Amino acid sequence: MSIAKKLLHTRYRVNDLERTVKFYRDVLGLQEVRRHKSPRGSELAFLKAPESEELIEICYYPGSEPVK
């Protein structure tokens, strides 16, 4: 069995991208490193802790049902 050496990113789908990014940035101190829109229409923001390589991907997909 192989052991994971590194994680690239973790994805969270949310109902409100701006509110979620604001929380991760202002409360947890993460830095937004990039943002873009996917070909399917998802809005994506990537954040990371200052001393970490792993990213948190925040995904808002307006064409889907609300996240529960």
Side-chain angles (χ1 to χ4, degrees), residues 11-62:
R11 180 183 214 187
Y12 295 105
R13 194 165 68 88
V14 299
N15 293 320
D16 187 328
L17 183 68
E18 296 308 322
R19 183 175 173 197
T20 304
V21 168
K22 181 175 174 33
F23 172 80
Y24 276 88
R25 187 187 60 229
D26 297 350
V27 176
L28 300 180
L30 274 60
Q31 302 166 340
E32 185 174 335
V33 294
R34 73 179 185 271
R35 188 183 285 232
H36 75 273
K37 191 174 243 183
S38 77
R40 311 183 324 158
S42 295
E43 296 177 39
L44 307 169
F46 294 85
L47 300 105
K48 70 180 224 44
E51 301 298 319
S52 176
E53 293 181 32
E54 183 182 359
L55 297 174
I56 294 178
E57 176 184 342
I58 306 298
C59 172
Y60 169 65
Y61 186 56

